[in-house]
Amino acid sequence: MSFLGHVVRFIVAAIVLMVTAWLVPAFSVGGFWSALILALVIALIGWVVEAIFGKQVTPFGRGIVGFLVSAAVIYVAQFFVGGVTVSIVGALLAALVVGIIDLFIPVSTPFEAGRRTSDNK
């Protein structure tokens, strides 16, 4: 994927996070730049979780484990990005909303996209 493709994916992910912040009361993002940095931090934390625990236990995985890991990643990411506040319930609701939005508008981060293409080889 080209550099521009990665940039577009992060912009779409930031927009999804902003929509999620609008829908979920216990999840707030300070603005577009905070959402963009949050998307990057979530991608990096997800990549680290996958490197440590394997592909089955990732925020990108399906099922209850993927959902809970996604909520944990969203909750932890708030400590790295200014202007973002998330409660535990907010992280669970945000993971649910992001998962539902992902059903209609699949957003994969550059790290996830690279993993998918390498898995197909």
Side-chain angles (χ1 to χ4, degrees), residues 24-108:
V24 177
F27 179 84
S28 68
V29 178
F32 178 75
W33 291 108
S34 292
L36 193 61
I37 294 169
L38 183 62
L40 178 63
V41 169
I42 288 172
L44 290 172
I45 293 172
W47 180 72
V48 169
V49 167
E50 180 180 338
I52 293 171
F53 297 108
K55 190 171 28 174
Q56 287 73 28
V57 182
T58 65
F60 312 112
R62 300 285 183 225
I64 190 71
V65 174
F67 169 74
L68 292 175
V69 170
S70 180
V73 166
I74 290 169
Y75 184 77
V76 169
Q78 76 173 325
F79 300 114
F80 297 99
V81 182
V84 176
T85 56
V86 183
S87 70
I88 293 174
V89 173
L92 289 168
L93 291 173
L96 179 65
V97 170
V98 168
I100 291 170
I101 291 173
D102 191 46
L103 287 173
F104 299 105
I105 306 170
V107 176
S108 62

